[in-house]
Amino acid sequence: MAGNQSIMFNGGLPADCTCPICEQALREPMLLNCEHHYCKQCFEKEDRAPECALCQTIIQPELCKQDRAKHKQILSLPVVCTFESSGCQWSGQLGTLHDHLTECTFKSSLKCEKCGRQFAKADLDRHREKCELNRAMCSYCNKTIRDSDLERHLKTCPEVIISCPFQCGLSDRPRHEIEAHRPQCPNVDNVCPFVPYGCTFAGGKESIQQHLSDEPVRHLMYLCDEITDLKGTYELMERDMVSFNDRQSRILSAADTCTEMFGPQLIWKIDKLQQRTNEAKSGADTTIFSNPFMSHRFGYKMMACACLFGDGTSAGKSISLYVLLLKGEFDPTLEWPFNRTIKISLLDQNPRPEDRVNITYVIDPRKLKANEKFLARPRGERNAAFGSQSFCSLAILQNYVKDDTIYVRIDVDRCETLPVSLKTRDEKERKQMMDSIRLKTPNVRAIHQVRPVTGQSQAPSGDLRV
């Protein structure tokens, strides 16, 4: 592939071409006995888990083989040049990216010191002359103005020295003084109305009328010059708008990147809900698991799980939602025990976003009792699960089902939970608070939105699960 260069896939990297271990494009893909794929390097790691990271099937190395068809599929994926941000417009298949990079003229691009944009070395000097951030200082008002706007600024600068256009004798004054003088100028009615556009004729009313009749071409030229100036101003504004749109696109792109980086770590789609609930009710499959996810880049490896018919004392009454820590590649570099606040949310699928009311349960790791088996660095493949045994009643859950599907979102704080003095409410206080909430808010869905943040966010021992 492209060696150590970053690869940018046009349209994103398909899930079936992504290694679940390194989360990168499959390199020398190995087909497992469960039909999933690993990179060859990830497959051959000594500390690799014995079961598949996606389906938990035990991996049988003797049944695994290199998948040449998958390798060809990956090499045919559409990509853009690694130096697209520097201005390169190349796009093609992944298999041809390496050949392009060897001759890409943007590979040795340089950065403009003023705007920070990347340019090929041959184009940088030309850009520096026209860089939109080039600045000059007005010698009259001492304001810093863009080079391209300086000429336009001088036509309106209030400190530029000019004379009265009505030729009354007032001269060599700043423009703001002349503008204040013009309405009271004694010659205001004795000059050609085209004086603001360059005409210098002055005289009585009759002579002005004669002057206008004798010089129509000259006055038309004055108007043409003004229109030309306006056209130049419009072109500058249009160019500024293009530049603005370009900057806006870059900002929006950066915002999208931030959303991807700092949005929820997992949105879990649980489909075939009725079938899965019946399987849980019968005892055939009481717990379902999400795909593994990371708390942040190079962070904690985690997984969510759900008991759709309830767990323990909540069986048949409530849905139970949990999270758990998995053994991860970067565990040696992380802080233990795990101390990030986690929010588990059941998402409202109301088509009107302003009417959506999610149910959210907050897990504060500082409040977990006997947290060693939940929050310590995993010694085996995974720790015990922790979360809410009674997340919401099965009756209320139906309000969040659409097309036999629910969505669960997991948010993990990227900063550690700071140690603070905590006050735990007793059962009586919690009951009083919930009663007051019910009186103020009869909507049961709204009550459940705030319920976990009060008492249940404490995650008592009854909500812990092995």
Side-chain angles (χ1 to χ4, degrees):
M1 296 186 187
N4 294 325
Q5 299 288 354
S6 60
I7 301 173
M8 295 184 291
F9 292 90
N10 194 351
L13 178 62
D16 65 327
C17 296
T18 305
C19 174
I21 302 300
C22 64
E23 299 182 346
Q24 303 294 324
L26 290 164
R27 296 173 184 265
E28 298 181 85
M30 297 290 298
L31 179 63
L32 309 183
N33 51 285
C34 61
E35 301 299 320
H36 291 123
H37 290 85
Y38 278 12
C39 292
K40 184 178 180 182
Q41 183 178 359
C42 296
F43 176 79
E44 295 177 347
K45 282 185 177 179
E46 294 182 1
D47 59 348
R48 172 180 59 78
E51 67 270 7
C52 172
L54 294 178
C55 65
Q56 312 303 314
T57 301
I58 298 299
I59 298 175
Q60 303 179 45
E62 66 276 8
L63 299 180
C64 302
K65 59 182 180 180
Q66 279 195 285
D67 192 337
R68 298 186 182 277
K70 178 64 68 173
H71 183 64
K72 290 182 179 180
Q73 177 189 349
I74 294 171
L75 290 179
S76 66
L77 291 175
V79 296
V80 296
C81 179
T82 305
F83 302 99
E84 181 190 35
S85 60
S86 301
C88 183
Q89 301 297 314
W90 180 89
S91 63
Q93 294 184 345
L94 177 59
T96 62
L97 177 61
H98 177 75
D99 292 338
H100 164 73
L101 290 178
T102 58
E103 57 187 25
C104 179
T105 58
F106 289 84
K107 188 174 182 179
S108 57
S109 62
L110 299 174
K111 181 185 292 187
C112 173
E113 304 84 357
K114 295 179 180 178
C115 67
R117 296 173 60 186
Q118 298 277 351
F119 291 90
K121 188 174 181 180
D123 298 331
L124 182 60
D125 290 337
R126 183 167 63 253
H127 163 77
R128 282 172 174 159
E129 296 176 1
K130 299 180 180 180
C131 179
E132 60 192 27
L133 295 185
N134 284 344
R135 294 292 187 266
M137 181 176 289
C138 175
S139 58
Y140 296 97
C141 65
N142 293 327
K143 286 186 177 180
T144 301
I145 309 293
R146 285 190 301 185
D147 280 356
S148 58
D149 293 342
L150 184 58
E151 184 177 352
R152 181 172 51 177
H153 168 76
L154 291 176
K155 293 182 178 181
T156 58
C157 177
E159 299 300 332
V160 168
I161 303 302
I162 61 174
S163 300
C164 176
F166 303 139
Q167 304 177 21
C168 67
L170 186 64
S171 60
D172 300 331
R173 300 295 178 87
R175 176 176 276 115
H176 67 85
E177 290 188 15
I178 297 297
E179 292 296 330
H181 158 78
R182 285 179 61 173
Q184 291 82 31
C185 180
N187 290 347
V188 67
D189 297 325
N190 299 324
V191 295
C192 175
F194 287 88
V195 162
Y197 307 112
C199 185
T200 59
F201 183 84
K205 291 185 178 180
E206 293 183 1
S207 59
I208 290 175
Q209 291 297 327
Q210 186 64 40
H211 164 71
L212 292 174
S213 300
D214 294 342
E215 301 287 351
V217 176
R218 177 177 296 181
H219 293 132
L220 185 60
M221 291 177 61
Y222 289 143
L223 290 178
C224 289
D225 290 343
E226 186 68 16
I227 291 173
T228 301
D229 288 344
L230 288 175
K231 182 180 178 181
T233 300
Y234 172 78
E235 290 175 350
L236 287 173
M237 293 175 64
E238 189 174 36
R239 189 188 67 191
D240 289 346
M241 184 58 68
V242 171
S243 176
F244 171 80
N245 290 337
D246 181 52
R247 292 198 301 273
Q248 183 186 47
S249 297
R250 294 202 301 269
I251 292 172
L252 291 176
S253 176
D256 289 340
T257 301
C258 289
T259 299
E260 294 177 3
M261 292 176 63
F262 302 110
Q265 282 78 2
L266 173 70
I267 294 184
W268 183 16
K269 178 182 178 181
I270 304 178
D271 56 5
K272 302 178 182 177
L273 185 68
Q274 189 60 51
Q275 175 185 333
R276 294 174 188 267
T277 302
N278 291 337
E279 291 174 352
K281 185 177 180 179
S282 66
D285 192 1
T286 58
T287 306
I288 60 174
F289 295 87
S290 73
N291 289 330
F293 63 93
M294 304 297 290
S295 64
H296 57 284
R297 192 179 185 191
F298 309 124
Y300 301 90
K301 190 175 183 180
M302 307 179 72
M303 180 183 286
C305 63
C307 299
L308 298 178
F309 195 65
D311 179 43
T313 58
S314 295
K317 303 175 183 177
S318 304
I319 182 176
S320 304
L321 294 177
Y322 303 100
V323 292
L324 50 94
L325 294 168
L326 304 177
K327 188 176 183 180
E329 181 179 358
F330 307 106
D331 287 353
T333 67
L334 302 174
E335 294 184 3
W336 299 97
F338 177 85
N339 61 353
R340 311 294 176 92
T341 298
I342 301 173
K343 295 180 182 178
I344 305 177
S345 300
L346 179 62
L347 301 185
D348 192 341
Q349 302 180 58
N350 192 315
R352 292 171 55 87
E354 63 272 16
D355 294 337
R356 292 175 185 169
V357 181
N358 301 330
I359 299 178
T360 298
Y361 179 88
V362 181
I363 304 173
D364 187 336
R366 300 169 299 179
K367 299 180 183 179
L368 289 179
K369 298 177 182 179
N371 62 26
E372 175 72 20
K373 60 181 178 180
F374 307 105
L375 306 179
R377 178 178 173 182
R379 296 178 180 176
E381 289 306 311
R382 68 187 187 192
N383 283 356
F386 56 96
S388 176
Q389 190 179 68
S390 53
F391 184 85
C392 79
S393 70
L394 297 179
I396 291 176
L397 176 65
Q398 296 307 310
N399 296 326
Y400 291 80
V401 179
K402 187 173 182 180
D403 297 330
D404 202 27
T405 301
I406 61 174
Y407 290 87
V408 176
R409 184 178 70 201
I410 307 294
D411 293 274
V412 183
D413 281 0
R414 286 163 179 79
C415 300
E416 63 178 280
T417 303
L418 298 176
V420 295
S421 176
L422 301 173
K423 179 182 177 182
T424 303
R425 297 187 178 92
D426 58 27
E427 190 64 31
K428 183 177 180 181
E429 287 178 311
R430 288 201 296 270
K431 186 176 183 304
Q432 290 175 347
M433 176 172 288
M434 291 304 299
D435 288 342
S436 65
I437 291 175
R438 290 190 183 96
L439 290 174
K440 294 179 181 178
T441 313
N443 186 331
V444 68
R445 295 173 75 183
I447 292 173
H448 277 269
Q449 184 189 28
V450 298
R451 173 176 60 82
V453 183
T454 58
Q456 288 201 26
S457 63
Q458 184 178 332
S461 57
D463 279 345
L464 305 182
R465 183 174 184 277
V466 180

